[in-house]
Amino acid sequence: LVGSEMCIRDRAKEDISEDGYWGVKQTSSRIFDFAMALAGDDEEKMQKMKAAVEKGFKLATKSWGKELPDISKNTYSAVMDKFDDYFASKKTSTDTE
């Protein structure tokens, strides 16, 4: 049992590591990609998706009853960065057209 507990713990650490499936990079990419899929690269809809993500994290924090764990806060920041990069790229492409 001790050996299997170590395997589970090791697997969990790997899963939430920087490059793990539940880590900040992959999770923030999945959230952003989902928003993109729903919005269809429509800037107005992407603004709504960004607002929905913000609301979701606020609700999660409220449900948690205290500040979210660092991995959650870092994931939120990474998702917001992806939205910011998306909107910045749209301004650049609009400015050059």
Side-chain angles (χ1 to χ4, degrees):
L1 184 63
V2 173
S4 64
E5 285 180 19
M6 290 299 285
C7 290
I8 292 169
R9 241 183 263 150
D10 291 343
R11 177 61 193 215
K13 285 180 182 180
E14 182 182 316
D15 284 347
I16 64 169
S17 70
E18 186 174 342
D19 294 318
Y21 183 80
W22 297 110
V24 172
K25 285 181 182 179
Q26 287 193 44
T27 301
S28 63
S29 289
R30 282 193 305 278
I31 293 169
F32 182 79
D33 292 348
F34 182 71
M36 257 312 249
L38 291 174
D41 198 26
D42 177 310
E43 283 185 74
E44 188 176 322
K45 288 180 182 175
M46 283 298 281
Q47 287 288 356
K48 291 178 182 179
M49 291 293 112
K50 182 178 180 183
V53 170
E54 290 169 337
K55 182 179 180 180
F57 272 89
K58 284 179 185 172
L59 290 171
T61 301
K62 185 177 179 180
S63 293
W64 187 253
K66 57 185 176 182
E67 204 171 283
L68 291 173
D70 286 343
I71 192 168
S72 300
K73 292 186 291 186
N74 294 340
T75 299
Y76 173 79
S77 293
V79 173
M80 291 299 112
D81 288 346
K82 290 177 188 316
F83 276 108
D84 292 344
D85 291 346
Y86 168 82
F87 292 118
S89 75
K90 291 298 182 183
K91 286 181 183 175
T92 302
S93 65
T94 304
D95 293 343
T96 58
E97 289 178 10

